[in-house]
Amino acid sequence: MLLKNGYFSDCNIQDIPVHKILIEKRIGKTFDLIKKYLESNCKLNEIQDLLKWIYCDEMINFKRTNEILNHFGIQNAQKTKLLTNDLKQLLFDEQTSDFKLFVKNEEEDDEEEEEEELYIHKFVLAARSGLFLNIFQNLEENFQKVKDYSGKSLETIELIISFLYTDELPITADTDQEFIKEEFEDIVEYYQLNPKIPMMDIFEKYSKK
């Protein structure tokens, strides 16, 4: 399965492809430990319900999912362990990253252009961007870096990737909001962002702060 690098098995009846990085971040244990417990103690539908919480913050079987999470030391998960918070911690995290994006870093006083490495996670960008999904589908399996050809500034690329992880834009008083907004109008199309409209709504929300 594309971009999915782990499997849960339910008594060898069915394999469920998952993303190890996200599973480990959400549960806070190693993938092998999580896998061993689930395959030994949980039915297929219980594993699927747990994955619904891991990927979507939704609990279908509230009691059973909480029992599983309690086993791993997670209490009151719906309030203390939110998906958005876990994704924020993954943002530009070198330790858990499985891919690098090289972006031109152009300084006004520098004659030479330098490239900045941004540490990213394929499963996040592939889920939110049609362009990255296409890139990852066509890369060789062990290829772990790609260059950005959007022509946009490092600041803009960092903002857009932050949004893809968090649905928020880290805009401050020092951000040139008009410039960034113009950049976004192009980059939404270039990166084939999904979804488009909520992203612009988020921009309007944060640009007023």
Side-chain angles (χ1 to χ4, degrees), residues 24-81:
E24 290 182 338
K25 188 62 181 178
R26 296 287 275 148
I27 302 296
K29 305 293 182 182
T30 65
F31 182 78
D32 289 341
L33 182 63
I34 299 167
K35 176 181 170 72
K36 181 178 180 180
Y37 175 80
L38 294 181
E39 292 180 350
S40 300
N41 298 277
C42 301
K43 299 177 181 178
L44 174 61
N45 67 303
E46 293 173 339
I47 295 176
Q48 291 173 328
D49 289 346
L50 177 66
L51 291 175
K52 187 72 172 179
W53 172 80
I54 288 173
Y55 281 83
C56 306
D57 263 348
E58 297 178 11
M59 285 196 181
I60 299 174
N61 186 336
F62 183 86
K63 181 179 179 180
R64 181 57 180 142
T65 300
N66 269 302
E67 287 176 352
I68 297 171
L69 293 174
N70 289 344
H71 170 79
F72 293 111
I74 300 175
Q75 306 291 329
N76 199 13
Q78 288 185 305
K79 293 184 178 180
T80 64
K81 193 68 174 167

Side-chain angles (χ1 to χ4, degrees), residues 4-185:
K4 298 188 178 183
N5 52 8
Y7 286 86
F8 290 147
S9 299
D10 177 61
C11 300
N12 296 320
I13 296 175
Q14 179 175 343
D15 287 329
I16 307 174
V18 294
H19 301 91
K20 292 173 65 175
I21 295 172
L22 184 61
I23 299 293
E24 290 182 338
K25 188 62 181 178
R26 296 287 275 148
I27 302 296
K29 305 293 182 182
T30 65
F31 182 78
D32 289 341
L33 182 63
I34 299 167
K35 176 181 170 72
K36 181 178 180 180
Y37 175 80
L38 294 181
E39 292 180 350
S40 300
N41 298 277
C42 301
K43 299 177 181 178
L44 174 61
N45 67 303
E46 293 173 339
I47 295 176
Q48 291 173 328
D49 289 346
L50 177 66
L51 291 175
K52 187 72 172 179
W53 172 80
I54 288 173
Y55 281 83
C56 306
D57 263 348
E58 297 178 11
M59 285 196 181
I60 299 174
N61 186 336
F62 183 86
K63 181 179 179 180
R64 181 57 180 142
T65 300
N66 269 302
E67 287 176 352
I68 297 171
L69 293 174
N70 289 344
H71 170 79
F72 293 111
I74 300 175
Q75 306 291 329
N76 199 13
Q78 288 185 305
K79 293 184 178 180
T80 64
K81 193 68 174 167
L82 300 178
L83 175 61
T84 52
N85 292 338
D86 286 332
L87 288 177
K88 284 179 183 179
Q89 293 178 28
L90 290 178
L91 180 61
F92 302 132
D93 181 50
E94 180 178 357
Q95 184 175 357
T96 60
S97 167
D98 58 358
F99 210 78
K100 294 179 183 179
L101 180 65
F102 288 87
V103 182
K104 289 183 180 179
N105 186 8
E106 300 179 2
E107 299 291 344
E108 293 182 1
D109 298 331
D110 291 345
E111 295 182 359
E112 296 184 1
E113 296 178 349
E114 297 182 355
E115 287 188 343
E116 188 80 14
E117 293 182 358
L118 299 181
Y119 294 95
I120 59 178
H121 302 82
K122 291 191 291 185
F123 75 90
V124 176
L125 270 64
R128 304 299 303 274
S129 164
L131 175 66
F132 279 111
L133 176 60
N134 184 60
I135 289 174
F136 297 146
Q137 283 178 324
N138 291 284
L139 282 179
E140 295 181 6
E141 184 175 352
N142 295 324
F143 206 75
Q144 296 181 323
K145 59 184 178 181
V146 70
K147 188 173 182 178
D148 175 78
Y149 289 100
S150 68
K152 301 303 180 183
S153 67
L154 175 62
E155 179 187 14
T156 301
I157 301 300
E158 288 177 331
L159 284 174
I160 194 68
I161 291 179
S162 294
F163 173 81
L164 296 182
Y165 277 74
T166 67
D167 280 339
E168 297 177 355
L169 290 174
I171 293 176
T172 67
D174 297 328
T175 304
D176 187 341
Q177 296 179 13
E178 287 301 319
F179 175 73
I180 294 298
K181 186 173 182 179
E182 291 177 2
E183 292 270 88
F184 271 26
E185 291 177 354

